[in-house]
Amino acid sequence: MQLRGVVLVEGTSDRRAVETLARRRGLDLEAAGVAVVPMGGYGNLPRLLGQYSDVRLAGLYDVGEERHFLRAFGCDDRGELERVGFYACTRDLEEELTRAVGPSGMKRVLAKQGELRAFRTYQKQPAHRARPLEEQLHGFMWNRKQRYAVLLVEALDLARVPRPLDRVLAHVRETTG
C-alpha cells in the first residue's frame, strides 16, 4: 500500500471503530492508502507527527487531552485543530458511541452478546447503583471495548454517527480523493 494518509487514534479499540465505520460507508481505507494508527497515548503524538510528516494526517482525541494536541499542532483552539483534521471526543470514543447507539440499542447489543445478565449484575453493585444508565453502560463497556467498538459501530444508525467519528472519515475522504 502506498501510504497517502494516516488517522491517529488513541488505541486499538478506536482503530477498530474507525475501520468498521469506513467499511460500513464503503470507504476502502487500504485502497485509499490510509492507515489507522493507534498512538498508545498522547505522549507519543510528537514522535508520530515526525514519523508521518510526509503524509496527510487526521485523528481523534479525547477532550481531556486537547491541550497536548493544541500544543503539538501550534493551534489556538479546537476549530483550528478541526481544520487540520483532528476532532475531539467528549470523553472518549466509547462514550460517543454509547450515546449515539442509545440505551435501548446498547441493551440490544448486550443481549445479542449474551451479556445483558452480566450488565444487570454490574448495575446492582454498590459502586454503580446510583450512576445514570449511560454511565453504567460506559463503565460496563470499558473492559470490553476492543470487542464492543466494532459491535457498537455495526449497531449504529448511520444517521447518528458521533460527530468526531463522522468528521474524521469525511476529512480522510476529502484529502485522499
Side-chain angles (χ1 to χ4, degrees):
M1 166 175 72
Q2 173 67 33
L3 192 62
R4 296 175 55 207
V6 170
V7 178
L8 296 175
V9 295
E10 183 179 46
T12 55
S13 64
D14 293 357
R15 177 185 53 82
R16 295 181 72 188
V18 169
E19 291 171 345
T20 301
L21 183 60
R23 180 186 47 76
R24 284 195 64 201
R25 288 195 166 163
L27 177 58
D28 184 341
L29 294 173
E30 187 172 343
V34 175
V36 182
V37 176
M39 290 186 291
Y42 66 82
N44 293 316
L45 182 60
R47 178 182 59 79
L48 292 167
L49 291 179
Q51 182 177 341
Y52 296 112
S53 62
D54 57 341
V55 298
R56 298 287 298 198
L57 292 175
L60 297 173
Y61 65 92
D62 300 342
V63 77
E65 299 167 350
E66 189 165 67
R67 70 185 186 281
H68 305 290
F69 284 79
L70 289 168
R71 184 173 44 246
F73 284 99
C75 294
D76 291 325
D77 58 34
R78 186 175 300 166
E80 285 185 35
L81 279 174
E82 290 189 357
R83 284 189 284 285
V84 298
F86 281 75
Y87 302 90
C89 296
T90 302
R91 179 174 177 186
D92 54 32
L93 186 55
E94 292 79 18
E95 181 186 50
E96 297 275 356
L97 290 169
T98 300
R99 188 173 43 249
V101 171
S104 59
M106 292 291 295
K107 289 177 187 176
R108 280 192 299 277
V109 171
L110 289 170
K112 282 183 185 176
Q113 297 305 306
E115 290 204 294
L116 195 51
R117 185 173 174 182
F119 175 65
R120 297 288 186 222
T121 300
Y122 176 88
Q123 285 182 296
K124 294 175 187 174
Q125 294 174 355
H128 308 296
R129 246 182 245 151
R131 294 170 61 197
L133 178 59
E134 291 78 11
E135 285 286 318
Q136 292 172 339
L137 288 163
H138 180 268
F140 185 77
M141 295 295 147
W142 187 252
N143 289 326
R144 298 162 173 82
K145 65 184 182 175
Q146 297 301 321
R147 182 166 48 119
Y148 278 95
V150 172
L151 296 171
L152 294 181
V153 172
E154 287 176 347
L156 193 59
D157 175 348
L158 291 178
R160 294 184 45 87
V161 174
R163 184 181 182 280
L165 190 53
D166 182 58
R167 294 305 309 143
V168 79
L169 278 181
H171 186 86
V172 165
R173 194 168 281 210
E174 290 165 10
T175 59
T176 59

